[in-house]
Amino acid sequence: MSEQRSIPQHVAIIMDGNGRWAKQHGKERYEGHIAGVESVRRVLRAAATTGVRYLTLYAFSTENWGRPVAEVEAIMELFCKSVVGEAPELVKQGIRVQIIGERDRFSERVLEMIDKIESTTLKGDRLTLVLAFNYSARREIMLAMRSIAQRVACGELNVEDINEQVLSEHLMTRDIPDPDLIIRTSGECRLSNFLLWQASYAEFYFPETLWPDFDEQEFSKALEAYAKRERRYGLVIEDSKA
Ligand code: FPP
């Protein structure tokens, strides 16, 4: 396998275990999220250095609104602070930030920060950091179907022309390639409404490590595990090497 193919183009991460980490350290849950931002920094740096082109992080699911108000506010605050604090460094490193998710429930301030980070980093061409923020894969697919149905209803699209590519083009990830590797930290082995359509042929990696303890070495172990996988896409081995 060539060096090029053994490095995933797109890594997506479910950053899990902040709450358990906080409990283990006798801290409040929000402190686990603060420590989680440090891991984001480390992994982003490691991904950019290794040649990964897209890094998607599940920062806040639509279901997360059901958490205690103080915790939700702490995560929103962390997002805003990170945007203000990190923007110059992201620009310097050539990192573009794209946010996927629904924007309807965010405060004015969060919306402002989303616009700010997306516009200031727009020209970054080294790595795209995709933040899934108020994201739900089922809602993403439902919204895509709704907009396809609208296009059919107004005669813009024929039913016979609906195919997988058309559906992909109506998702929030329309400009982003499917993930090659999905990591979920903390030993949990499920997708939790994350990139359900896009994950069809992704490789999965489930380390026991809690997200705040996930570092460059852990990231590199994940890439090593990925490099050993044989991706067949439903073909037989000889065909996949063709
Ligand atoms: C899951 O751990 C983590 C989250 C729901 C939030 C992740 C958010 C951050 C790392 C900070 C904000 C991100 C950015 C990019 C500014 P959990 O709380 O479910 O942990 P537990 O399962 O141990 O309770």
Side-chain angles (χ1 to χ4, degrees):
M1 195 185 287
S2 74
E3 170 75 3
Q4 204 61 29
R5 278 182 62 186
S6 66
I7 294 167
Q9 181 186 28
H10 182 178
V11 179
I13 307 182
I14 303 174
M15 310 180 284
D16 200 6
N18 294 352
R20 276 162 284 168
W21 181 92
K23 197 168 177 197
Q24 280 176 11
H25 291 77
K27 295 175 188 278
E28 298 292 331
R29 289 183 60 82
Y30 78 90
E31 295 177 278
H33 299 314
I34 294 176
V37 173
E38 281 305 314
S39 295
V40 171
R41 274 198 202 98
R42 289 194 292 260
V43 168
L44 184 55
R45 214 170 27 234
T49 312
T50 330
V52 169
R53 301 302 308 273
Y54 294 84
L55 178 69
T56 298
L57 302 177
Y58 204 3
F60 193 82
S61 74
T62 304
E63 292 76 22
N64 287 155
W65 290 108
R67 291 191 175 206
V69 176
E71 184 175 345
V72 171
E73 280 175 0
I75 293 175
M76 296 297 149
E77 190 50 36
L78 265 181
F79 171 76
C80 293
K81 272 197 181 147
S82 303
V83 168
V84 174
E86 304 296 326
E89 188 56 28
L90 293 171
V91 171
K92 203 166 128 195
Q93 289 193 28
I95 292 168
R96 177 181 176 186
V97 180
Q98 247 181 289
I99 312 287
I100 56 167
E102 289 176 89
R103 306 213 170 166
D104 54 334
R105 281 180 81 171
F106 291 132
S107 66
E108 279 302 314
R109 181 164 137 78
V110 171
L111 288 173
E112 216 177 282
M113 290 301 146
I114 289 176
D115 279 350
K116 180 180 155 81
I117 198 68
E118 285 191 330
S119 56
T120 51
T121 63
L122 193 62
K123 294 207 175 107
D125 58 3
R126 186 171 175 212
L127 179 148
T128 300
L129 170 64
V130 182
L131 290 180
F133 208 41
N134 190 25
Y135 174 83
S136 146
R138 284 189 171 188
R139 281 193 59 81
E140 178 188 38
I141 295 168
M142 179 277 290
L143 291 169
M145 289 178 67
R146 197 184 276 175
S147 82
I148 290 171
Q150 276 161 353
R151 291 186 61 202
V152 170
C154 72
E156 224 180 271
L157 186 68
N158 293 318
V159 170
E160 308 76 53
D161 293 332
I162 299 171
N163 55 28
E164 290 183 18
Q165 196 189 332
V166 168
L167 204 142
S168 293
E169 284 166 359
H170 285 78
L171 295 173
M172 294 162 183
T173 51
R174 60 187 69 88
D175 306 320
I176 302 163
D178 287 345
D180 301 294
L181 172 65
I182 296 184
I183 301 171
R184 182 176 188 145
T185 55
S186 87
E188 307 287 354
C189 305
R190 53 178 179 272
L191 269 180
S192 299
N193 218 353
F194 185 51
L195 303 178
L196 297 182
W197 173 273
Q198 300 86 339
S200 290
Y201 282 101
E203 296 293 328
F204 289 86
Y205 183 75
F206 298 117
E208 292 292 326
T209 317
L210 303 176
W211 177 248
D213 291 327
F214 199 83
D215 57 13
E216 292 90 340
Q217 261 188 329
E218 292 280 341
F219 185 73
S220 147
K221 275 204 283 188
L223 295 200
E224 276 168 32
Y226 172 83
K228 290 190 188 127
R229 305 275 175 92
E230 187 173 57
R231 303 184 76 191
R232 293 193 293 276
Y233 301 96
L235 306 175
V236 291
I237 300 169
E238 285 74 20
D239 287 348
S240 71
K241 282 180 179 163

